[in-house]
Amino acid sequence: MFMQTCPVTSSHRSHSLPDPLNAWHTQSIDDSLAQLDSNPQTGLNSEQVRERSQYYGLNELEETAGRSSWVILLDQFTNIMLIMLIVVAIISGVIDLIDWRQGGLEAGQVPFKDTIAILLIVILNGVLGYLQESRAEKALAALKNLASPKVRVLREGRPMEVDSKQLVPGDIMLLEAGVQIAADGRLIEESNLQIRESALTGEANAVNKEAALTLAEDTPLGDRINLVFQGTEVVQGRGTVLVAATGMKTELGRIAEMLQGVESEPTPLQQRMTQLGNVLVSGSLILVVLVVVGGLIQSGGDLGVLQQLVEVSLSMAVAVVPEGLPAVITVTLALGTQRMVRRHALIRKLPAVETLGSVTTICSDKTGTLTQNKMVVQWVITPQHTFQVTGEGYAPNGEFLIAETAVSTQEYPELQVLLQGCALCNDAILQYEQDDWLILGDPTEGALITLAGKGGVDKEPLRRQFPRVGEIPFSSERKRMSVICQGSNGSVGTNDGQGTYLMFTKGSPELVLERCHSLQAGDRTEVLTDEQRTDILRHNNQMAGAGLRVLGFAYKPLDAAPDDGVDSSETTEQELVWLGLVGMLDAPRPEVMDAVRRCRNAGIRPVMITGDHQLTARAIAHALGIADQHDRVLTGQELQKLSQSDLDNQVEEVSVYARVSPEHKLRIVQGLQRQGEFVAMTGDGVNDAPALKQADIGIAMGITGTDVSKEASDMVLLDDNFATIVAATEEGRTVYDNIRRFIRYILGSNIGEVLTIAAAPIMGLQDVPLSPLQILWMNLVTDGLPALALAVEPAEPDVMKRPPFSPRESIFARGLGAYMVRIGIIFAIVTIILMALAYDYYPLHWKTMVFTTLCLAQMGHAIAVRSNTRLTVEINLFSNPYLIWAVTVTTILQLALVYVPFLQNFFGTEPLTLTELLICLGFSTSLFIWVELEKLFIRWYKNR
């Protein structure tokens, strides 16, 4: 996937070039410029650019070759069961060739039909496996797409546009709104610069950048506000950046390296199928040796019977391999993906369908997955009252409650003024589209418009009544925003009517409050006392401690509009009238709480991993039931100081992680896996890709997710909803239960076939009861069609009320292996008794009777195997109509093989008389009766 670019040394450097991995956020602007020998007024000259291009290489992510399509295809034929089938096909072809040359073929008999049929099955299985694995990893291509093709830089004292891959450390990069940043760098200067870094850090809101700061070395990536990063986007403002790292040395490059270091492990289903193949082939070879040696001993060492023994061995080898199983599993998983899409989960890799059923821990991001990704105001605290606000999302529908009693906002003048401030001091737009309320603009301002709407204040009519004539914009230094509107304050609920202009201010509660000298109490203003200031700050701290984002509101009547400029704003934003506090939260999705409860009932532990602050993370986790209020929250800074062994010891106890970086997520997943957990991990950003690839199930967001995260994932949530993960897990458990159900069905009959064939030479019969072609028919059609029907069997009622089965359990666990052997033996005993009778009394048709009995017995077995405990009469026969059709069609096809002339010739069958057919039917029914009696015995044994 990726490789590190090694720097090319140069002996003619005029300046010692630094390692691009320096902690640039800890250094001042002057120190950074000095280290990189760059001039902020002129940039680099052409000689410096050439020298650095040689030393650092191109600014691009480098790729190493993965497996070619041919290698992937050839790997499919290293499966031990397919190898055995290939050997069987070759030996069968050699025997047919000898018979053909010696004139041993009967008239009309098709030569090499067994060989051709077996090789077609081998090719089909190989192609199915190839199609599953050949989806090329596109994570690198998606990462490369984040690079801007052109970038504006300062070189030789003048601005110019260059290809992003030509950037070098020391370049002076110019930023403006809408630009995608092409390299990591240290800010030199900025003006109201906001950058959207959600794809890289997971931070939902745009980040306000500050060039002048120097930060501590352990500052989390999302808090390094004096740096910019490749792949992020400028939302507003402008800036000048000293390029500090390019290519694989950027944060994006480090993620690429982490992706390279993550190795894909086989899924539980793939491991179980490998184990199954090894057991079946080993058992078959042992049985072949016993039959050949036993046959030679019985014949007194007569080599003349060797060809017959070889033919018996070939039939046994074909019988033991469930040729239809890979196709049935593939179709079952594909059907599972269709059902999951209907539940808003898109599966990218088929084995992930079954793997979901083994999940023991779900590590979920917070924003948009556990929460609505919509800021919603929860509390409003005015100088006289505390209001709780109800409602969901951006819909302007909800109530204001005092002590859990709904009140009218019209009765509280100070609340009306605050709501008008929310609407006027606001640049967002609330729209109703496609049956949903949407926000154009900042989510925080969207929450304020919605709040005003809930209180009966409509922004548009109010904006026309109070047109905006001036604005003092928000900045990271001021941490507040003010708007000046034309209109007297008598129109907004106060009784003095002074001033022809109104200024509304919102921002950091502490900073707004320190500029207030009075407060709004009902319909009048009062002097703000120290006691009241203390009380307001206490309320602010309480809401912030509960994880809410808190804004303070104030207003001021003006006689004239102020002049433009910062100096004017400093004098204007004084002696304000305090209105109150507004506390908002990205509210939890209403359906997630039930999903978390279902998780816990199913033995699955939910874990929150977020880039957000720990107070917010704790509040959401507590509200959803993921963690208790006083449970420990592990932050990225604390995690950074832990050794891997220390982290491994803590991952089982910590359910909330906050302010984490990409490598932290990867370490958390690895720690959980080392503790034996089977981990599903959600993510949407570039930073999540390594952890998504490392997790047993990587789950990307379909709405907010980046292409990088989707390509690294196994599953994509189409609605970005945690509840969808739980629904998909339920579907995964059902798929795994059904896979075990039809494996039990298929392999029980295969064992019966092998034992029946092995018994023929031991009983002294002069021919093989089943040809390889007939066995292929049974394994593909007689077994395959009912197995497909069993694959859509509805979920058991308790599927999400039990802990997950161990992903490392054997395919034969929980009685499956014993059942297959037991049913295989009963199958063989019934068929061998029939074979002995038919060989003596119906010598012309005995092989067709054996063939037909085995096929019809499987139909009864398919009906009985639907449940381990419930009798067939206790199950709604029509709850799985596909099984009825499969049994009916398969029975008709089997009878066609017996009675249609050209099929008789091809498959080597003879038409049975009615008596012979009834005998076959009677013997085949005995297997169904046996399975039902077993259920009754188990029920009696448990209840005795």
Side-chain angles (χ1 to χ4, degrees):
M1 287 288 292
F2 310 105
M3 65 182 181
Q4 181 68 46
T5 304
C6 297
V8 180
T9 58
S10 173
S11 57
H12 303 290
R13 295 196 307 272
S14 59
H15 180 81
S16 179
L17 296 174
D19 183 348
L21 296 181
N22 279 359
W24 297 101
H25 58 285
T26 66
Q27 301 185 29
S28 68
I29 295 172
D30 290 340
D31 288 345
S32 300
L33 287 166
Q35 281 203 53
L36 285 165
D37 191 22
S38 187
N39 187 314
Q41 278 74 46
T42 61
L44 300 177
N45 58 44
S46 57
E47 176 62 23
Q48 287 176 307
V49 171
R50 184 191 61 78
E51 178 186 274
R52 296 178 192 215
S53 294
Q54 289 182 344
Y55 182 70
Y56 292 112
L58 292 176
N59 177 34
E60 62 182 4
L61 304 180
E62 300 209 2
E63 184 176 6
T64 58
R67 288 194 306 166
S68 70
S69 296
W70 280 109
V71 171
I72 295 173
L73 181 61
L74 291 175
D75 280 350
Q76 307 310 310
F77 300 101
T78 59
N79 178 286
I80 189 169
M81 289 194 289
L82 292 189
I83 290 173
M84 189 172 80
L85 283 179
I86 292 170
V87 172
V88 168
I90 293 170
I91 296 174
S92 177
V94 170
I95 292 174
D96 279 358
L97 181 63
I98 294 172
D99 285 346
W100 186 33
R101 287 191 170 183
Q102 294 177 352
L105 291 179
E106 298 177 6
Q109 188 174 350
V110 181
F112 309 113
K113 61 185 179 183
D114 292 340
T115 301
I116 294 169
I118 294 170
L119 290 178
L120 285 175
I121 297 305
V122 169
I123 293 169
L124 174 64
N125 284 322
V127 169
L128 284 173
Y130 170 79
L131 292 175
Q132 283 191 42
E133 287 191 34
S134 63
R135 184 188 294 270
E137 285 295 339
K138 299 177 184 176
L140 177 63
L143 277 171
K144 284 184 172 181
N145 288 338
L146 290 176
S148 173
K150 292 286 184 180
V151 59
R152 288 185 69 233
V153 296
L154 196 64
R155 287 181 180 174
E156 306 278 5
R158 59 188 178 86
M160 62 177 67
E161 274 197 350
V162 299
D163 288 338
S164 63
K165 65 181 181 180
Q166 302 298 333
L167 277 179
V168 295
D171 261 325
I172 303 299
M173 184 166 55
L174 307 176
L175 303 182
E176 59 187 15
V179 166
Q180 200 169 44
I181 298 173
D184 289 4
R186 175 67 166 88
L187 269 172
I188 300 175
E189 62 179 38
E190 43 73 25
S191 175
N192 199 25
L193 183 65
Q194 289 190 355
I195 296 179
R196 183 181 291 115
E197 297 180 346
S198 57
L200 186 65
T201 66
E203 187 70 49
N205 298 319
V207 179
N208 296 293
K209 294 294 184 176
E210 296 186 41
L213 294 179
T214 56
L215 304 169
E217 187 168 352
D218 62 352
T219 303
L221 190 68
D223 292 335
R224 295 177 188 176
I225 57 176
N226 57 1
L227 302 184
V228 300
F229 303 104
Q230 184 182 30
T232 59
E233 181 184 359
V234 179
V235 176
Q236 71 176 43
R238 58 179 179 80
T240 305
V241 174
L242 171 68
V243 174
T246 58
M248 297 297 284
K249 298 291 187 179
T250 62
E251 290 297 327
L252 213 59
R254 292 177 64 233
I255 291 170
E257 285 190 63
M258 283 191 282
L259 275 173
Q260 176 197 15
V262 175
E263 296 182 2
S264 298
E265 294 291 329
T267 68
L269 182 61
Q270 291 167 333
Q271 294 172 352
R272 288 161 180 155
M273 290 300 101
T274 300
Q275 178 197 28
L276 178 63
N278 293 337
V279 170
L280 291 178
V281 171
S282 302
S284 174
L285 292 176
I286 292 170
L287 203 54
V288 165
V289 171
L290 291 176
V291 168
V292 172
V293 172
L296 288 174
I297 292 173
Q298 187 181 29
S299 65
D302 182 7
L303 295 179
V305 301
L306 184 60
Q307 181 173 341
Q308 181 192 351
L309 292 173
V310 170
E311 290 177 357
V312 170
S313 300
L314 292 179
S315 293
M316 288 171 56
V318 175
V320 81
V321 176
E323 289 86 3
L325 186 60
V328 172
I329 288 178
T330 300
V331 173
T332 301
L333 297 176
L335 291 173
T337 65
Q338 292 180 7
R339 292 195 298 271
M340 287 185 180
V341 166
R342 289 196 289 270
R343 302 180 82 165
H344 307 293
L346 176 66
I347 301 296
R348 295 187 63 253
K349 300 171 184 176
L350 272 184
V353 177
E354 176 273 339
T355 308
L356 274 164
S358 302
V359 166
T360 61
T361 303
I362 299 176
C363 295
S364 176
D365 192 14
K366 175 185 71 68
T367 304
T369 309
L370 296 170
T371 64
Q372 302 175 37
N373 199 18
K374 297 176 180 178
M375 299 299 285
V376 179
V377 174
Q378 310 277 310
W379 296 92
V380 176
I381 302 178
T382 64
Q384 292 186 322
H385 299 95
T386 297
F387 301 89
Q388 184 179 0
V389 187
T390 65
E392 295 179 5
Y394 292 128
N397 305 315
E399 294 182 324
F400 288 74
L401 309 177
I402 296 179
E404 300 185 358
T405 302
V407 297
S408 171
T409 58
Q410 304 297 326
E411 299 174 4
Y412 300 90
E414 79 275 17
L415 177 59
Q416 280 292 301
V417 181
L418 187 147
L419 294 178
Q420 290 166 336
C422 288
L424 292 171
C425 191
N426 201 311
D427 293 322
I429 299 172
L430 182 63
Q431 292 182 333
Y432 187 71
E433 292 182 1
Q434 298 179 347
D435 299 327
D436 195 16
W437 289 93
L438 304 175
I439 283 294
L440 297 180
D442 182 73
T444 299
E445 293 197 330
L448 297 175
I449 295 181
T450 300
L451 174 69
K454 291 175 182 178
V457 176
D458 191 341
K459 177 183 176 180
E460 291 308 311
L462 193 69
R463 184 176 60 83
R464 289 191 293 270
Q465 183 182 355
F466 297 95
R468 185 185 299 187
V469 296
E471 177 181 343
I472 307 172
F474 177 91
S475 73
S476 54
E477 294 86 5
R478 291 168 21 83
K479 290 185 170 56
R480 64 186 179 274
M481 167 190 179
S482 296
V483 296
I484 295 93
C485 301
Q486 191 169 4
S488 70
N489 61 332
S491 305
V492 293
T494 61
N495 59 6
D496 49 19
Q498 296 176 356
T500 57
Y501 294 92
L502 281 172
M503 181 176 71
F504 286 98
T505 300
K506 75 167 186 276
S508 166
E510 297 93 335
L511 297 181
V512 173
L513 182 63
E514 71 181 17
R515 292 172 177 267
C516 294
H517 81 298
S518 58
L519 55 78
Q520 187 76 28
D523 58 359
R524 65 186 184 281
T525 59
E526 298 178 356
V527 176
L528 184 61
T529 66
D530 290 341
E531 183 180 349
Q532 288 170 325
R533 289 180 186 275
T534 302
D535 197 45
I536 290 169
L537 292 175
R538 180 175 59 81
H539 284 303
N540 174 52
N541 293 336
Q542 285 176 343
M543 286 198 285
L548 275 70
R549 182 176 186 183
V550 188
L551 293 177
F553 280 81
Y555 82 101
K556 179 181 180 180
L558 300 173
D559 292 324
D563 297 329
D564 294 335
V566 175
D567 293 338
S568 173
S569 71
E570 287 302 310
T571 57
T572 304
E573 293 177 323
Q574 299 290 348
E575 298 185 348
L576 305 178
V577 180
W578 178 257
L579 290 173
L581 297 168
V582 173
M584 64 186 69
L585 190 68
D586 181 6
R589 288 178 178 264
E591 66 274 18
V592 168
M593 188 176 298
D594 180 62
V596 169
R597 180 186 55 77
R598 293 187 67 208
C599 266
R600 295 200 177 279
N601 289 341
I604 301 170
R605 183 166 74 104
V607 174
M608 179 194 291
I609 304 178
T610 179
D612 216 333
H613 291 85
Q614 65 187 88
L615 291 175
T616 305
R618 187 196 301 275
I620 295 293
H622 175 62
L624 292 173
I626 291 175
D628 291 333
Q629 186 66 44
H630 302 293
D631 283 357
R632 182 184 179 191
V633 176
L634 191 62
T635 65
Q637 284 180 305
E638 294 169 333
L639 193 151
Q640 186 70 36
K641 297 172 184 176
L642 295 176
S643 67
Q644 192 60 55
S645 60
D646 290 337
L647 179 60
D648 291 351
N649 293 331
Q650 295 190 32
V651 288
E652 294 282 13
E653 306 300 326
V654 178
S655 294
V656 182
Y657 299 84
R659 303 305 279 169
V660 295
S661 65
E663 58 266 31
H664 296 156
K665 294 184 178 184
L666 187 60
R667 287 183 64 195
I668 293 166
V669 171
Q670 290 171 336
L672 286 165
Q673 289 173 329
R674 273 191 285 270
Q675 295 300 312
E677 299 293 332
F678 206 74
V679 183
M681 168 76 187
T682 73
D684 55 3
V686 175
N687 60 328
D688 296 320
L692 289 175
K693 192 173 179 183
Q694 175 68 43
D696 300 288
I697 290 288
I699 304 171
M701 303 296 108
I703 299 173
T704 60
T706 59
D707 288 343
V708 182
S709 64
K710 291 174 185 175
E711 292 300 335
S713 69
D714 302 293
M715 182 175 95
V716 178
L717 295 183
L718 301 180
D719 59 357
D720 291 9
N721 193 336
F722 180 84
T724 301
I725 305 174
V726 181
T729 301
E730 178 182 358
E731 198 66 55
R733 290 188 175 191
T734 303
V735 167
Y736 179 48
D737 287 347
N738 286 342
I739 287 175
R740 281 178 56 89
R741 185 175 285 114
F742 64 64
I743 285 177
R744 186 166 65 240
Y745 164 72
I746 289 175
L747 294 186
S749 69
N750 282 24
I751 292 171
E753 293 167 19
V754 171
L755 295 178
T756 301
I757 296 167
I762 296 173
M763 293 167 63
L765 304 185
Q766 298 303 309
D767 207 347
V768 183
L770 298 168
S771 69
L773 192 61
Q774 290 173 340
I775 295 167
L776 285 175
W777 170 265
M778 286 192 291
N779 288 354
L780 288 172
V781 180
T782 309
D783 291 351
L785 289 180
L788 285 174
L790 289 171
V792 295
E793 190 70 24
E796 295 285 346
D798 65 342
V799 69
M800 289 298 282
K801 296 178 181 177
R802 58 164 175 78
F805 298 124
S806 170
R808 293 160 188 84
E809 75 173 15
S810 163
I811 189 66
F812 305 111
R814 291 181 283 119
L816 179 60
Y819 176 89
M820 292 183 331
V821 172
R822 189 170 66 251
I823 293 302
I825 291 172
I826 298 302
F827 213 146
I829 290 172
V830 169
T831 311
I832 289 169
I833 293 172
L834 171 102
M835 183 168 63
L837 292 172
Y839 189 80
D840 290 336
Y841 294 101
Y842 306 98
L844 296 179
H845 298 162
W846 73 275
K847 291 194 291 183
T848 302
M849 291 179 71
V850 171
F851 180 36
T852 302
T853 300
L854 284 169
C855 291
L856 294 181
Q858 273 293 74
M859 299 304 97
H861 189 203
I863 295 170
V865 82
R866 291 183 65 188
S867 174
N868 295 338
T869 56
R870 291 180 293 168
L871 298 175
T872 301
V873 294
E874 297 172 339
I875 304 173
N876 180 3
L877 187 63
F878 298 99
S879 62
N880 187 355
Y882 301 103
L883 185 61
I884 299 173
W885 280 104
V887 168
T888 303
V889 170
T890 306
T891 302
I892 292 171
L893 290 173
Q894 178 61 30
L895 294 175
L897 261 61
V898 175
Y899 294 108
V900 176
F902 79 90
L903 293 176
Q904 292 173 0
N905 184 51
F906 190 79
F907 283 93
T909 60
E910 300 289 341
L912 300 178
T913 66
L914 181 59
T915 302
E916 290 169 339
L917 183 61
L918 290 174
I919 291 171
C920 294
L921 187 61
F923 272 87
S924 62
T925 307
S926 58
L927 183 64
F928 171 80
I929 295 171
W930 175 273
V931 175
E932 295 295 283
L933 289 174
E934 267 196 8
K935 296 177 187 177
L936 286 173
F937 175 78
I938 293 171
R939 185 180 298 179
W940 168 81
Y941 186 80
K942 287 183 176 179
N943 295 332
R944 64 190 173 90

